Amino acid sequence: MENTVPLINVVFLILIFFLVAGVVAPPTARELIPAETSDLPVVPPQSDVVQILPDGTVLFRGVTTDLDGLLAGPGPWNKTGAGGTALQGSPLRVLVDQRLEAARLIDILERFRAAGTADIRLMTVKGQG
């Protein structure tokens, strides 16, 4: 009779490795109510999504930050990553609360454009319809 304990140990080690090594996107802010859509394809969660709350507060990677500090750092808005490496083909993804005033959203997006962002994509959630 063969001993299957080593095989089970290896399977559990592989399971633990993939749980630890997997990329987990930070959750959206509790007070954020994103816009809904029913016609667009579903996109998996991204970790580099800029969240904008109804009062104009900006969150990046789950941390509240001011827009000036965010624009000064590396990211898709200025096409540089950590250490100044160039980010090619990485659009800026923005998840906006549906209660945010349109004029305020336009101001924020214009600041990202002025910082060098050419590709801005507004994210929505899939609606019930």
Side-chain angles (χ1 to χ4, degrees):
M1 184 167 167
E2 288 186 34
N3 189 359
T4 59
V5 173
L7 177 64
I8 293 170
N9 287 342
V10 169
V11 170
F12 279 117
L13 285 174
I14 291 172
L15 175 67
I16 291 171
F17 171 77
F18 283 109
L19 286 174
V20 171
V23 176
V24 179
T28 58
R30 290 181 187 259
E31 59 269 21
L32 183 93
I33 302 173
E36 294 182 357
T37 187
S38 59
D39 296 335
L40 297 176
V42 176
V43 178
Q46 304 286 325
S47 61
D48 288 345
V49 173
V50 175
Q51 300 175 41
I52 305 174
L53 302 180
D55 62 354
T57 303
V58 178
L59 287 91
F60 182 63
R61 295 183 177 156
V63 178
T64 302
T65 182
D66 66 320
L67 194 55
D68 293 326
L70 185 64
L71 292 173
W77 43 88
N78 59 15
K79 298 299 180 209
T80 56
T85 58
L87 293 173
Q88 298 297 329
S90 56
L92 173 65
R93 299 182 193 283
V94 182
L95 184 62
V96 182
D97 191 292
Q98 64 183 357
R99 299 168 294 180
L100 180 70
E101 295 179 6
R104 178 76 175 121
L105 175 61
I106 290 170
D107 289 341
I108 293 171
L109 295 180
E110 286 298 324
R111 298 218 18 224
F112 279 112
R113 287 251 187 232
T117 305
D119 189 3
I120 299 174
R121 298 188 185 174
L122 294 178
M123 307 279 297
T124 61
V125 294
K126 187 168 179 86
Q128 300 296 328

